[in-house]
Amino acid sequence: MECDRSFRLDAQRLQRRFRSLQRALHPDRFGRRPAEQLYSEQHSSLVNKAYQTLLHPLSRGLYLLELSGVEPAQETDSDADSEFLMEIMEINEKLAEPKNDEILGEIETLIKDRQEELTEEVTAAFERGDLQEAKKLLAKMKYFANLEDKLKNKKIPS
């Protein structure tokens, strides 16, 4: 994908490279050559996976940890501070309440803001080479990604 091994990346450059590779590898270009078509399908799938991994800060950070030989935090790890866990619990409680569009909007803004803050902190941790701090921050990002999923499910009309 022609990216530096860095948490910070140029999303537009990544998207241009992705589109270029997808055009070059598109299976329709190899319609009459079955072996090459299979090769293009497999590699097109890998390019899609690489793009999705690099595009999202959480998956990109986890991938960088993996490349550095650092195991990501498990849900059973208890490194999260109690203040943070209380914040997560309060948001979960609000999400468990009956649907209220105003409250859901507030939660959506809060989650977005916290994810942006954490992304900045993770960027700084990786740039300092502090992989253990990046690991802790990425664990927090996972909590907010889970909350974001719950929020999306709550907003879907039943």
Side-chain angles (χ1 to χ4, degrees), residues 7 57 61 117-127 134 137-138 141:
F7 186 76
E117 291 169 12
L118 285 167
T119 298
E120 289 175 17
E121 292 175 34
V122 170
T123 301
F126 273 114
E127 288 177 351
L137 293 166
L138 288 165
M141 286 180 81

Side-chain angles (χ1 to χ4, degrees), residues 26-147:
H26 199 281
D28 290 349
R29 296 187 69 208
F30 306 97
R32 299 195 182 267
R33 298 173 286 186
E36 290 159 338
Q37 188 175 24
L38 177 62
Y39 176 87
S40 77
E41 287 172 1
Q42 292 169 340
H43 285 78
S44 180
S45 175
L46 289 173
V47 167
N48 281 333
K49 184 176 180 187
Y51 176 70
Q52 289 302 317
T53 298
L54 295 173
L55 184 62
H56 303 288
L58 176 58
S59 56
R60 182 171 64 246
L62 293 172
Y63 179 64
L64 284 171
L65 287 181
E66 183 182 323
L67 289 176
S68 300
V70 176
E71 288 286 322
Q74 301 302 316
E75 295 206 12
T76 56
D77 292 354
S78 58
D79 282 346
D81 58 88
S82 59
E83 184 179 324
F84 173 78
L85 293 175
M86 285 297 294
E87 177 184 18
I88 297 300
M89 192 170 73
E90 288 172 10
I91 296 169
N92 268 314
E93 287 172 0
K94 286 182 182 177
L95 285 171
E97 293 173 6
K99 188 174 176 182
N100 176 325
D101 289 338
E102 186 178 325
I103 291 174
L104 292 180
E106 291 171 9
I107 293 170
E108 184 172 25
T109 300
L110 173 68
I111 290 171
K112 183 177 180 257
D113 291 347
R114 290 292 281 131
Q115 286 175 322
E116 288 174 3
E117 291 169 12
L118 285 167
T119 298
E120 289 175 17
E121 292 175 34
V122 170
T123 301
F126 273 114
E127 288 177 351
R128 286 191 313 270
D130 189 347
L131 299 180
Q132 291 307 312
E133 181 65 13
K135 175 180 172 175
K136 289 177 188 174
L137 293 166
L138 288 165
K140 289 182 176 184
M141 286 180 81
K142 277 187 194 179
Y143 279 100
F144 280 100
N146 290 336
L147 289 172

